[in-house]
Amino acid sequence: MSTIVARQPLPESRSSTGFRLAMLLPGGLVTFFLILFALGLVVFLALRGNDGSLLGAGFTFANFITVASDPLYWTVTLRSLAIAGLVTLATVVTAYPVAYYLAFHAGRRRGLLLFLVTLPFWTSYLLRVFAWKIVLAYNGVLNSALIESGIWSEPTLAFLNTPAAVVVTLAHAYAPFAILPIYVALDTIPKSLLEAASDLGARPFTSFRRVVLPNSMPGVLAAALVVFVPTVGDYVTPALVGGPASTMIGTLIQAQFGKANDWPFGAALAVAVMLVILAVVLVVRFADRRFGSRT
Amino acid sequence: MSVARIEAKQGGRWLGGYVLVYLVFLYLPISLIPLFSFNDSIQAAFPLQGFTFEWYATLSGNSALSGALANSLVIGAIAATGATLCGITVSYMDLYGRSPLAAAISAIARMPILIPGVIVGISLLILVNLIGFGPSRTAIVLGHILVALPTTVVIMKSRFAAIPKTIREAALDLGASDWTTFRRVMLPLSLPAIVSAFMLAFLTSFDEFIVAFFLAGTEPTLPLYIWSQLRFPKSLPTVMALGTAILAVSFVIAAIAEILRHRGLAAAQRPVPANLSKPEETERGELQWHST
């Protein structure tokens, strides 16, 4: 592949130690102390008993045993997984055609459309969730629209404070996250591949199913991950539009660090969430490799 | 025109309609906030009452609000500076450092994207309590550096990767030291991306809620202030006026960041003859937000 002629000794070999140190130091400190050390502390605390002190006392698995044995935590964890799964599915499925259009049909409008699609991501998340509260409330926009148009005769409480409200709100909030990775994957499919499929007599749907879709799977999996991870631990949306029936694991963790003041137990819940996410990441990596080997 | 082509064209039209509907879905809920911010009623419901600037008027002279705003601006500026600095160095060393350590730092720096905000918040809460300064503005700054870090690393990495390797090698071959090459060649070439990374990091910090929620001491940031106001129905119209102002400013900053990044990518690819650059490599770098 390489087209470069007769490589000289690598310029890197002259790198001064001072330069390397200065360049590695800020990132090294941040990643070590703020990420690795801080996450290590969470795991450490999860293994401690709660005696009201900062780092607890004594090592124990009690926190994890409670997390694993109390049906409340199972219910909430499964609910978080179900909601995050639904959000991921809804977001990826609705985002795919948008990414497809951007990659293959947008032409000169591509830049503008990409900007429009990503713009909401840079606006306040809190306000986007709040906007859904306005839409779904008892005297909100959806209810008043349904009554004005004569479909409904009186407002319903059925929209706000339901798991469905959480799913719709999160799917809206994370839409840009899904579109970008899928678009990038679709955009890197060589156009010649599609022309070849068409020349060989494949109908558009066949070439989509046999060429485009498998080739875009890495993007789809990346999108799924980027939507799923923040959704599982989300705190704002269940609190604003979810109601008590859609308490999610993020809410429980917050409660342990707030009202309940049981930090070791909250840390154990956090570790449980991280383990779930780790499992999902590994499954996605595995799936990614399988699709990767296909192309 | 082949049958397949015609079918593809028609498919494009259907898809175009879908994209339009999707954009309406994206923007309709958000547009309600400016709409109701001018509505002369406490209720955010149709039909609209009258047009008023009253809610905007209540924004000025609100000391809790201006305090939160100042707080958010200071935290955003410091956190964005930190995140951008780390983003530049981490991605630069990842690409040119040729050491496993640099690659590991870069991989870890992009990790926070795989950690829910709640967990970032509590892990830093434990950390800052252990160090001894506890919830404070400094704690939020650290948290926001962490949250913005993956973005700045990805932006800077795709930018550095888009600069043809030959330019850097030429500088080094001509005897420039690493410092000189970095400062006089690589930094100026990536300046638009640096500005855009800074702006996006600033926006991330400015809008971030959950990490600040855990790490805030006595002085709330703007999202925390909004959160506290959401509990009082009477203050909702004011929140919407404030929200409208935030949306407008965010839109403008995001647009400028976008334009700068675009310009940067275009400029990077211009001066190099086609046979020297390797477009396949540069165009398909990492997570690219845009093709040029």
Side-chain angles (χ1 to χ4, degrees):
Chain A
M1 246 334 251
S2 176
T3 53
I4 314 281
V5 266
R7 270 206 168 262
Q8 296 298 310
L10 294 170
E12 275 72 20
S13 60
R14 281 191 306 223
S15 259
S16 69
T17 337
F19 178 76
R20 289 175 148 265
L21 200 65
M23 293 291 282
L24 285 174
L25 205 61
L29 284 177
V30 165
T31 54
F32 182 75
F33 280 107
L34 296 189
I35 303 178
L36 294 182
F37 187 62
L39 286 181
L41 273 179
V42 176
V43 178
F44 175 82
L45 192 61
L47 290 165
R48 304 284 281 179
N50 183 21
D51 68 342
S53 69
L54 174 58
L55 287 177
F59 284 95
T60 169
F61 280 106
N63 299 316
F64 287 107
I65 291 167
T66 314
V67 173
S69 60
D70 191 329
L72 168 71
Y73 300 110
W74 278 104
T75 315
V76 174
T77 307
L78 290 177
R79 185 190 294 142
S80 306
L81 287 175
I83 287 180
L86 275 175
V87 171
T88 307
L89 187 72
T91 314
V92 169
V93 168
T94 52
Y96 197 97
V98 179
Y100 187 90
Y101 183 84
L102 282 167
F104 296 117
H105 293 285
R108 278 185 300 124
R109 279 163 300 186
R110 181 189 274 194
L112 178 67
L113 280 175
L114 262 171
F115 177 66
L116 284 178
V117 159
T118 48
L119 188 56
F121 168 67
W122 298 115
T123 67
S124 172
Y125 171 56
L126 201 57
L127 289 172
R128 277 180 284 160
V129 179
F130 176 59
W132 277 100
K133 196 173 174 153
I134 301 175
V135 173
L136 300 170
Y138 179 72
N139 46 18
V141 172
L142 189 57
N143 264 323
S144 46
L146 284 170
I147 289 163
E148 289 286 304
S149 59
I151 299 172
W152 236 278
S153 57
E154 54 185 84
T156 168
L157 276 169
F159 298 135
L160 199 64
N161 297 334
T162 58
V166 177
V167 172
V168 172
T169 305
L170 284 172
H172 177 259
Y174 288 103
F177 281 95
I179 293 171
L180 281 178
I182 302 174
Y183 160 72
V184 171
L186 286 170
D187 197 44
T188 50
I189 298 175
K191 299 283 182 289
S192 55
L193 227 55
L194 298 179
E195 280 163 22
S198 154
D199 286 347
L200 292 168
R203 309 273 297 180
F205 183 70
T206 314
S207 76
F208 171 76
R209 197 169 54 84
R210 307 272 308 260
V211 179
V212 176
L213 193 59
N215 274 298
S216 64
M217 274 323 269
V220 170
L221 293 173
L225 211 56
V226 185
V227 175
F228 183 84
V229 170
T231 311
V232 171
D234 192 67
Y235 174 81
V236 173
T237 304
L240 279 184
V241 302
S246 22
T247 304
M248 284 169 72
I249 197 83
T251 319
L252 286 191
I253 296 176
Q254 197 281 325
Q256 298 306 319
F257 279 81
K259 260 179 254 153
N261 204 17
D262 190 348
W263 288 23
F265 188 66
L269 281 173
V271 172
V273 175
M274 285 196 284
L275 287 177
V276 167
I277 288 171
L278 188 68
V280 173
V281 171
L282 289 177
V283 168
V284 168
R285 278 274 154 81
F286 178 72
D288 201 20
R289 201 162 301 156
R290 285 203 52 186
F291 280 108
S293 65
R294 223 193 242 220
T295 51
Chain B
M1 218 188 239
S2 71
V3 181
R5 281 266 175 83
I6 293 169
E7 279 178 17
K9 263 237 160 112
Q10 282 169 343
R13 208 165 297 150
W14 277 105
L15 270 176
Y18 175 82
V19 172
L20 216 61
V21 172
Y22 194 90
L23 284 175
V24 170
F25 165 71
L26 273 187
Y27 283 90
L28 201 59
I30 303 174
S31 64
L32 292 173
I33 291 174
L35 186 67
F36 286 121
S37 74
F38 295 109
N39 189 27
D40 194 6
S41 162
I42 294 249
Q43 297 275 6
F46 288 111
L48 296 169
Q49 301 301 309
F51 185 86
T52 180
F53 278 119
E54 190 193 332
W55 314 121
Y56 287 89
T58 58
L59 285 181
S60 58
N62 179 338
S63 65
L65 167 64
S66 49
L69 176 65
N71 218 7
S72 267
L73 290 174
V74 171
I75 290 173
I78 302 174
T81 307
T84 310
L85 176 72
C86 290
I88 294 170
T89 52
V90 165
S91 55
Y92 191 82
M93 291 313 275
D94 184 17
L95 282 169
Y96 306 111
R98 295 190 182 229
S99 82
L101 179 66
I105 290 177
S106 169
I108 299 168
R110 280 171 289 165
M111 230 171 66
I113 230 172
L114 289 178
I115 308 170
V118 171
I119 296 177
V120 173
I122 62 157
S123 64
L124 287 174
L125 177 63
I126 302 168
L127 180 74
V128 294
N129 274 319
L130 186 70
I131 297 174
F133 57 83
S136 57
R137 283 209 290 202
T138 318
I140 302 181
V141 166
L142 294 178
H144 285 182
I145 288 179
L146 215 57
V147 174
L149 195 58
T151 315
T152 59
V153 171
V154 168
I155 291 179
M156 291 316 299
K157 206 177 160 184
S158 75
R159 183 67 197 91
F160 282 132
I163 300 173
K165 283 198 178 84
T166 44
I167 292 183
R168 180 172 163 277
E169 282 166 8
L172 290 170
D173 283 346
L174 290 168
S177 70
D178 284 308
W179 277 114
T180 316
T181 311
F182 178 68
R183 204 167 49 80
R184 308 264 319 253
V185 179
M186 299 305 274
L187 276 189
L189 275 174
S190 55
L191 193 63
I194 294 174
V195 177
S196 123
F198 178 87
M199 283 176 168
L200 296 184
F202 181 83
L203 279 185
T204 307
S205 163
F206 197 74
D207 280 343
E208 202 286 329
F209 170 76
I210 192 70
V211 173
F213 186 56
F214 280 100
L215 299 175
T218 48
E219 301 167 303
T221 62
L222 203 53
L224 291 176
Y225 172 78
I226 294 175
W227 177 260
S228 70
Q229 295 301 302
L230 289 180
R231 270 178 296 155
F232 311 113
K234 268 193 181 166
S235 59
L236 289 189
T238 313
V239 167
M240 286 193 266
L242 175 60
T244 308
I246 296 174
L247 287 182
V249 175
S250 300
F251 275 29
V252 170
I253 296 181
I256 295 172
E258 192 59 28
I259 291 165
L260 281 171
R261 229 176 48 72
H262 245 274
R263 248 188 223 165
L265 284 177
Q269 274 150 19
R270 209 180 306 125
V272 188
N275 56 344
L276 279 183
S277 68
K278 289 202 278 177
E280 311 96 291
E281 268 187 25
T282 52
E283 273 173 17
R284 290 186 208 158
E286 289 278 322
L287 187 136
Q288 273 236 340
W289 301 70
H290 260 261
S291 84
T292 39

